[in-house]
Amino acid sequence: MAKSGKPHHIQYEAEAACTNLLILLKILLDYGRLLIRRSYRQLNWQVQTVGNITHFHFAFMPIVAFFSDTSWGGVDLRTSIMPRVVTRNHKVILIAGGAGFVGSNLCRRLIDEGHEIICVDNFQTGNRCNIAPFLQHPHFRLIQHDICEPLDISGPVDEIYNMACAASPDRYQEGPVHTCKTCFLGALNLLELARRKKARILQSSTSEVYGDPEISLQDENYRGCVNTCGPRACYDEGKRVAETLFWEYGAHNGVETRIARIFNTYGPNMDPEDGRVVSNFIVQALKGEDLTVYGTGLQTRSFCYVSDLVDGLIRLMASDEKMPVNLGNPGEFTMLELAEKVVKMVRSRAGVTFRPLPQDDPRQRKPNITRAKTILGWSPKVNLDEGLASTIEWYRERLAADQEAEAPAGQ
């Protein structure tokens, strides 16, 4: 009987040794797989991640499949040996409203920094021309979708920028109920996506949350003076409730949220028919038409060039600040001063036509950016003259291209 026990003992030791050897071998193979993944990331090979298995689209698929195996001898080594290691040296960033004015400029900046972009847009106000340079880029993906409906994305998402919603009064007042839905349901759907993906998310709020302010220099603690039943309420109140959603998800649902209160912004990729004052004035001056000024023209605005704003958004996303942050240029100009600048820079002979001031149109806009300076180290760099010069040139080229496209064939 003593002899019969010895072979079993040896058998058990052999099995244990084999198991340990397989585990050690698997660790070495995992490390090899890690090196392969890093190498192909650096070479910008296209990678698609599904669950916990990574597939590489290149000729040696069987070899990589071997390195990607997650079990050996019936043992699930994926969980028993080591956790999944994320080796991406770039971020996957979703931009809702990515084909819009600010969204497309944000896409360009983040692509230039080497990140992978998922652009989501329903093209209500976004324009495919804005993202045409990126459509063939290996790190750019376009999804046509209305964020009023729930959104599901395969694979990882590290950051989400909610830039969706018409921002021009002319545009958001065309469909006020849809504007309300975009502000509330859109924010809710993106917050749920961020919660599922464990992604950080930024809300593009607006200076319109301050309404028609009763104080000069609006800081983030000012609670505003907003009409809940006026023509601008769908946007103003929609953005205010979106801020509340972001705050609650951050405070109670564990989502990392950021809130940017954006003041008047201008620059390339703003639709010539957008309806906001800078685009209106430049297009009218280029066409030789009189500039339309509402009210007396003494109401003021502060104008931030889009590249400065994009820099502020990226800095805010990277910060630990959970409270709203004003992003805008504190330089303040009346509408008549802006009109005079544009006419002079375009070298136009256009005059000015006065029209009644729309209901609830703010009399004054000037951001206090102390929080942005202190926390983000951010302040705008482009002055109004510099920004207008490049914006005018962009509109000049855009209008010429539009005119050429509309010309009959053969002319």
Side-chain angles (χ1 to χ4, degrees):
M1 294 295 293
K3 293 183 178 179
S4 63
K6 188 174 182 180
H8 289 290
H9 177 67
I10 294 174
Q11 179 181 354
Y12 294 149
E13 289 182 348
E15 289 177 353
C18 286
T19 300
N20 290 335
L21 181 61
L22 291 176
I23 289 174
L24 179 60
L25 183 58
K26 181 56 180 175
I27 291 175
L28 294 174
L29 291 174
D30 279 344
Y31 183 67
R33 180 181 63 179
L34 204 62
L35 293 177
I36 289 176
R37 291 173 67 183
R38 285 178 176 170
S39 299
Y40 277 92
R41 292 282 186 188
Q42 293 171 358
L43 291 172
N44 291 326
W45 285 78
Q46 182 180 2
V47 178
Q48 177 182 4
T49 301
V50 182
N52 286 310
I53 305 174
T54 302
H55 303 278
F56 295 79
H57 301 286
F58 68 114
F60 302 102
M61 186 67 178
I63 298 175
V64 179
F66 172 73
F67 280 109
S68 299
D69 190 19
T70 57
S71 64
W72 198 303
V75 180
D76 187 354
L77 299 174
R78 180 181 57 201
T79 56
S80 62
I81 300 301
M82 58 190 300
R84 180 176 178 239
V85 179
V86 178
T87 61
R88 288 181 287 107
N89 55 10
H90 67 280
K91 297 175 184 175
V92 178
I93 301 174
L94 186 147
I95 303 177
F101 161 47
V102 176
S104 59
N105 280 280
L106 182 60
C107 283
R108 180 182 297 277
R109 166 73 179 271
L110 292 173
I111 287 175
D112 288 345
E113 291 183 357
H115 300 297
E116 181 178 342
I117 302 302
I118 303 173
C119 172
V120 177
D121 207 298
N122 67 349
F123 295 101
Q124 179 188 15
T125 57
N127 194 318
R128 290 183 183 272
C129 293
N130 291 342
I131 56 172
F134 322 132
L135 291 176
Q136 302 303 317
H137 196 287
H139 288 169
F140 184 83
R141 175 185 174 193
L142 172 63
I143 299 175
Q144 186 166 345
H145 181 84
D146 189 332
I147 62 167
C148 292
E149 301 297 329
L151 177 64
D152 194 20
I153 300 292
S154 62
V157 176
D158 300 304
E159 294 177 353
I160 299 172
Y161 287 85
N162 181 17
M163 312 304 297
C165 191
S168 162
D170 289 352
R171 298 291 178 85
Y172 67 65
Q173 290 177 23
E174 287 177 359
V177 174
H178 188 268
T179 299
C180 290
K181 287 182 176 181
T182 302
C183 289
F184 180 78
L185 293 177
L188 183 64
N189 289 329
L190 292 177
L191 283 163
E192 277 297 306
L193 178 64
R195 183 183 60 81
R196 294 194 304 271
K197 297 292 185 179
K198 295 180 173 56
R200 180 174 291 189
I201 181 170
L202 182 146
Q203 165 69 4
S204 64
S205 190
T206 172
S207 60
E208 296 301 316
V209 301
Y210 300 125
D212 187 6
E214 299 166 317
I215 63 170
S216 180
L217 270 180
Q218 295 87 50
D219 63 40
E220 293 86 351
N221 294 321
Y222 178 57
R223 297 184 179 180
C225 178
V226 181
N227 180 1
T228 63
C229 297
R232 302 172 73 100
C234 58
Y235 184 74
D236 299 2
E237 291 299 305
K239 289 291 188 176
R240 285 165 71 99
V241 74
E243 285 194 12
T244 302
L245 271 176
F246 267 67
W247 167 255
E248 297 297 345
Y249 264 76
H252 303 295
N253 288 12
V255 178
E256 288 195 62
T257 58
R258 306 290 182 264
I259 301 172
R261 288 181 180 165
I262 299 173
F263 282 67
N264 294 71
T265 305
Y266 69 101
N269 289 6
M270 180 180 280
D271 193 322
E273 298 181 2
D274 176 81
R276 282 176 279 190
V277 64
V278 173
S279 57
N280 279 354
F281 281 0
I282 293 176
V283 171
Q284 288 174 329
L286 288 171
K287 291 182 176 180
E289 302 171 355
D290 287 348
L291 278 59
T292 304
V293 173
Y294 294 94
T296 62
L298 298 180
Q299 65 271 34
T300 66
R301 295 291 184 272
S302 301
F303 301 103
C304 184
Y305 192 65
V306 67
S307 63
D308 282 333
L309 174 64
V310 165
D311 183 57
L313 292 171
I314 293 173
R315 286 171 180 256
L316 178 56
M317 178 67 90
S319 76
D320 294 325
E321 182 57 43
K322 296 177 173 57
M323 297 299 291
V325 176
N326 286 341
L327 294 178
N329 193 320
E332 188 176 19
F333 299 88
T334 68
M335 297 302 94
L336 288 177
E337 288 173 331
L338 177 65
E340 183 180 351
K341 276 183 175 293
V342 170
V343 168
K344 182 179 179 179
M345 295 179 74
V346 173
R347 298 180 180 178
S348 171
R349 296 182 178 180
V352 172
T353 298
F354 291 91
R355 292 186 181 177
L357 190 68
Q359 180 183 343
D360 298 330
D361 191 69
R363 293 162 293 176
Q364 191 255 3
R365 278 279 183 270
K366 185 176 182 179
N368 182 328
I369 61 170
T370 301
R371 183 176 291 179
K373 286 181 177 180
T374 303
I375 296 173
L376 310 181
W378 177 87
S379 61
K381 308 300 182 186
V382 181
N383 65 40
L384 185 58
D385 286 349
E386 292 171 333
L388 283 177
S390 61
T391 305
I392 288 169
E393 185 60 28
W394 183 86
Y395 276 113
R396 196 188 303 275
E397 294 175 1
R398 172 66 185 270
L399 292 177
D402 289 348
Q403 186 176 10
E404 182 178 348
E406 293 172 359
Q411 289 191 2

